[in-house]
Structure formats: structure tokens, C-alpha cells
Amino acid sequence: DDKAWCKKQSIFSDLAPVTVLPPTLDPILELGLLSTKCHHFIMSVGSYGWWASFLAGGDVVYYKDPYKNRKDQVAAMEDMYPPGWVAMLGSSDDPIAL
């Protein structure tokens, strides 16, 4: 979400093509571009990343237990992620499972 930072990072200069969308782009158009031009995602926690990942239809890695310590969790986490998406464990005690 920090486009200016992304433009300054040398790690992205060796990749082609890398596009940073203008900051004034409508969020709906940005979601559409993201989900049609990107094919694989390492997803953040939230509905925006979920929808972009779902609409793109490619490989998705997601954080397995984003609400592990919440007492008010009402949804079953296994119902939130389609089959084929890869769960990444987040605890420092757990290895990343890919």
C-alpha cells in the first residue's frame, strides 16, 4: 500500500514488467487490474487481497491463522479459503508450510 516506497526499492528494478499503478486510480479499477494482470498472490489478511486472489485464479499463499488469538472469531477458517490455496503458518515456532 506504499507505492512510493515500492518505486524506490532496487529489488523491483530487476523484475520485468513491474507496474506501480497511479495513486489516484479508483479502487474498483485497481482491483480489476490486479486480478486480471497478476496470476499468483501472497495474500495479505483482508477482503481486498482475498477477492484479488480469488478473481485472478492462480496460485495463492495465505496466512493460515490471522485471527488465532481472537475470542470473537465466528467463522471457520477452513471455509474462507478455496481448495488448492496454500496455507502458510505464521508462528515463530512453526515452520512455513508450503
Side-chain angles (χ1 to χ4, degrees), residues 58-97:
D59 297 324
V60 178
V61 175
Y62 67 93
Y63 179 53
K64 183 179 179 195
D65 295 313
Y67 309 111
K68 191 174 192 174
N69 297 320
R70 289 188 56 170
K71 306 220 185 301
D72 60 344
Q73 179 179 331
V74 294
M77 296 309 292
E78 60 272 9
D79 291 340
M80 294 179 64
Y81 304 106
W85 286 18
V86 178
M88 178 177 65
L89 302 176
S91 167
S92 60
D93 298 327
D94 296 325
I96 294 177

Side-chain angles (χ1 to χ4, degrees), residues 2-15 18 20:
D2 189 342
K3 295 175 184 182
W5 180 88
C6 291
K7 286 182 178 182
K8 294 177 188 175
Q9 303 309 305
S10 61
I11 190 173
F12 299 120
S13 64
D14 294 336
L15 303 173
V18 172
V20 177

Side-chain angles (χ1 to χ4, degrees), residues 10-83:
S10 61
I11 190 173
F12 299 120
S13 64
D14 294 336
L15 303 173
V18 172
T19 302
V20 177
L21 299 174
T24 57
L25 190 63
D26 180 273
I28 300 290
L29 293 174
E30 189 172 294
L31 179 62
L33 285 171
L34 182 64
S35 62
T36 58
K37 299 297 182 188
C38 298
H39 304 291
H40 310 290
F41 287 85
I42 299 174
M43 194 179 93
S44 63
V45 176
S47 61
Y48 191 88
W50 190 96
W51 278 108
S53 300
F54 180 78
L55 292 171
D59 297 324
V60 178
V61 175
Y62 67 93
Y63 179 53
K64 183 179 179 195
D65 295 313
Y67 309 111
K68 191 174 192 174
N69 297 320
R70 289 188 56 170
K71 306 220 185 301
D72 60 344
Q73 179 179 331
V74 294
M77 296 309 292
E78 60 272 9
D79 291 340
M80 294 179 64
Y81 304 106

